[in-house]
Amino acid sequence: MHDAARDLADHDRMAVGRTLAEAEQLPLWQPTGLDAPEVSPELPCLIAQDVLEPVLRAAAQDAGADVRFGTTLTGFEQHADGLVADLDGTSSRASCLVAADGARSGVREMLAIGRSGRGAVGGPSVNVYFRADLAETVRGREFNLCRIEHPDAPGALASVDGRFRWVFMTGGGHTDRDWPTVRRTALGVPAPDLEVLSVLPWQAEMLVADRYSAGRVHLVGDAAHVMPPFAAMGANTGISDAHELGGKLAAVSGGAAAPALLDSYDAERRPAGWFAADQSARRTLDLGGQGTTDPDLAHPFVLAAGGFQYLDGALCHPVRDVEPVQEFTPAGRVGTRVPHRWLGDARTLSTLDLGGPDWALLVAGDPRPWTTGGLPVHRLDADFLPAGTALLLRPDDIVAWRGTDVTAPARLRDELSRGVPRVG
Ligand SMILES: Cc1cc2nc3c(=O)[nH]c(=O)nc-3n(C[C@H](O)[C@H](O)[C@H](O)COP(=O)(O)OP(=O)(O)OC[C@H]3O[C@@H](n4cnc5c(N)ncnc54)[C@H](O)[C@@H]3O)c2cc1C
C-alpha cells in the first residue's frame, strides 16, 4: 500500500491561500495533551481511491477471488440451504451475499431495509476532477487539501497524485459553469494544459441502514452507511465492515464457528457505522464555522485508530469499562481494538499483528498458569495491563474478554465462536 501511495508520500499537510499560487502550508497537526505510545506499527498512508482499488483487487485475486467487471446482480432468492443470485440472467448459487453495492444499494432496496439518520448535511457540492501539470507550482508546499479563499472560486483543492491529477470541491448545485475559467482563478496560474475530466454533483448525507443483515445477505460499505467525507471515514468504515464480516464468514464456512456468530455482525458494526457517520456529520457542521466546538466531537485518533468500542456482539458483556471518546486513552478494554504495543525487543511484531486467523491470548506476567486450549499465548507487559491479567483477542484484534481467571479464555473462545451470548 505504501508503495502504491508513494506519489502522495510527502503530502501530509493542509494548505490555505487566496489561490493555489499564494497558498501556504499549515503546520502539521499534532494532538495536544496526548502522551500516547505510538498508535500503530504502520505509518499513516494517504492514497487515492482509484490507486487503492487495483491494489485490493490484486490481493483479492491472489487469494482466489473471481473478479468480474461489467456484471450486474439483478435479483436473488434466499432458501433454507443457500442463495441463488441472478447475474445478468445467469443463476449462480452461493451460501451468502455480501452487498457492497454503494449508497444507492439495490440489494438494500430489494430487502426493503430502511435507513435512519440526519439525512442531508450542509448544502449541495460539485467535484471537478481535472488534469494539469502543477508539480512546479506546489513544489515545497505539498498538501493533501488546500483551502482556496478566492471570492470568485472558493473551495478546496485535493491532490490525487500531487502532480497531474486534482479534484476541486466547491459548494453549490450547478454543474454548468465555465469550469476551466473557475479553475484558473482558483489556481492563480495559467495552467495551459488544464483539462476538465469530469464534473460530479453530490450531497453529503448521514444515513445508516436499519439492519445490516437479512438472512444470508449482509450489507457493507456505503450500502450500509453514508457519511460526509470530511473525517475521511467512509471507505475506512466500509473496509472495517468487510474485515470483520470476512473473518466471521471464514470462521463459519471453515467450521470453526457456528452460523449464529454472523448475528453479531449487525450488533457490532451497525453502532460502529452510526458512530462514524454521526461523528463525520458533527465534524462537518463544526467546520461550518459556527464559532463553537461540538462537545460531543470524538478525539480524531479515536476515529482514525478504529477506536469504536463494541458494547454488544461476540464478546463478554455487559461491558462495564466504557472507553471515553473525547480523549484517546486505549487501554485494552473489552469491545475495543487492542492497543498497539511491540511484543519483544526486536520491535517487529505488534499486538495488532496477532489478529487472525486464530484467536490469541495476551498475558501480563508469567503465562504458565494459564490454561490455553491451544490458543497462541504472548506475554505483554504494558502500562494498561496489571500483572496476572490477560486479554482474549478475537481474529479481528477486538478484545473479547479481560480478566484474571486462568481457565476462562479457551472456554470463552469456544462459546463466543458458537455465537453464544456470554455474560461475564
Ligand atoms: C468527495 C468524497 C471524498 C471522500 N473521501 C474519503 C476519504 O478521504 N476517506 C474515506 O475513507 N472515504 C472517503 N470517501 C467515501 C468513499 O468514497 C466511499 O465510502 C466508498 O467509495 C464506498 O465504497 P463502496 O465499495 O461501499 O461503494 P462504491 O464505491 O459506491 O462502490 C459500489 C460498487 O457497486 C457497483 N454496483 C452497484 N449495484 C450493482 C449491481 N446490482 N451489480 C453489480 N455491481 C453493482 C457499483 O457500480 C460500484 O462499482 C469520500 C467520498 C466522497 C464523495
Side-chain angles (χ1 to χ4, degrees):
M1 201 72 85
H2 286 295
D3 187 42
R6 61 190 175 280
D7 283 343
L8 293 181
D10 300 321
H11 291 64
D12 45 4
R13 294 179 188 228
M14 310 273 283
V16 62
R18 203 177 74 98
T19 62
L20 175 65
E22 298 160 84
E24 290 182 11
Q25 271 183 338
L26 296 172
L28 198 58
W29 177 83
Q30 297 283 3
T32 51
L34 184 66
D35 183 23
E38 299 156 85
V39 173
S40 169
E42 284 295 332
L43 291 170
C45 178
L46 281 167
I47 188 166
Q49 193 166 344
D50 63 349
V51 179
L52 167 70
E53 290 189 356
V55 177
L56 298 181
R57 183 183 71 215
Q61 286 172 321
D62 282 351
D66 173 10
V67 179
R68 299 183 205 170
F69 286 94
T71 305
T72 305
L73 176 102
T74 48
F76 61 90
E77 281 176 12
Q78 300 200 59
H79 305 288
D81 60 342
L83 182 144
V84 179
D86 188 338
L87 302 174
D88 286 332
T90 305
S91 292
S92 191
R93 292 191 64 81
S95 59
C96 70
L97 171 66
V98 177
D101 53 347
R104 296 195 180 89
S105 171
V107 172
R108 190 188 63 230
E109 281 176 15
M110 286 180 228
L111 292 166
I113 296 178
R115 292 188 293 173
S116 305
R118 295 172 188 243
V121 178
S125 299
V126 181
N127 276 10
V128 183
Y129 176 36
F130 67 99
R131 190 183 159 84
D133 185 351
L134 298 173
E136 287 307 317
T137 311
V138 302
R139 191 178 305 283
R141 300 181 293 135
E142 288 82 2
F143 56 84
N144 57 71
L145 202 66
C146 177
R147 198 169 74 233
I148 303 289
E149 297 181 329
H150 195 293
D152 296 334
L157 185 66
S159 300
V160 178
D161 67 2
R163 179 168 188 159
F164 296 114
R165 299 193 296 137
W166 311 87
V167 173
F168 185 70
M169 297 178 257
T170 188
H174 300 293
T175 54
D176 54 353
R177 297 173 67 186
D178 176 2
W179 292 114
T181 301
V182 176
R183 291 302 65 263
R184 290 192 172 98
T185 303
L187 298 177
V189 291
D193 60 338
L194 187 146
E195 181 190 0
V196 172
L197 300 174
S198 69
V199 178
L200 174 76
W202 61 282
Q203 169 68 55
E205 291 184 309
M206 182 259 162
L207 287 168
V208 180
D210 295 333
R211 282 185 297 153
Y212 273 24
S213 300
R216 295 174 176 274
V217 185
H218 309 281
L219 308 182
V220 301
D222 279 17
H225 43 67
V226 287
M227 59 195 78
F230 304 105
M233 289 302 293
N236 281 302
T237 307
I239 289 166
S240 296
D241 298 337
H243 177 228
E244 184 183 302
L245 179 62
K248 288 183 167 150
L249 289 171
V252 171
S253 65
L261 178 67
L262 296 172
D263 295 342
S264 63
Y265 173 61
D266 176 87
E268 295 174 358
R269 290 307 304 168
R270 193 156 51 85
W274 184 277
F275 177 74
D278 179 57
Q279 285 293 329
S280 299
R282 289 177 189 278
R283 183 86 67 90
T284 307
L285 296 169
D286 214 55
L287 289 175
Q290 310 302 321
T292 56
T293 297
D294 182 342
D296 293 324
L297 264 185
H299 188 286
F301 277 18
V302 168
L303 287 174
F308 181 76
Q309 182 176 28
Y310 301 149
L311 297 176
D312 194 0
L315 39 87
C316 289
H317 44 75
V319 174
R320 297 188 183 88
D321 192 5
V322 176
E323 182 123 322
V325 297
Q326 275 93 9
E327 53 194 79
F328 182 63
T329 55
R333 296 175 178 91
V334 173
T336 62
R337 190 170 184 237
V338 68
H340 156 63
R341 292 290 187 283
W342 292 114
L343 296 168
D345 296 334
R347 295 170 70 87
T348 51
L349 184 70
S350 160
T351 47
L352 291 174
D353 294 322
L354 300 181
D358 297 323
W359 295 58
L361 189 64
L362 282 169
V363 175
D366 184 358
R368 280 173 300 182
W370 291 83
T371 310
T372 63
L375 280 168
V377 185
H378 300 268
R379 182 172 175 153
L380 175 69
D381 295 314
D383 44 352
F384 60 81
L385 204 60
T389 310
L391 303 180
L392 176 62
L393 279 197
R394 304 191 327 195
D396 58 357
D397 291 326
I398 297 293
V399 177
W401 172 85
R402 172 183 176 130
T404 54
D405 178 351
V406 296
T407 63
R411 180 170 37 85
L412 291 173
R413 184 240 356 237
D414 295 343
E415 288 183 17
L416 293 170
S417 297
R418 288 206 304 275
V420 178
R422 169 73 209 183
V423 178

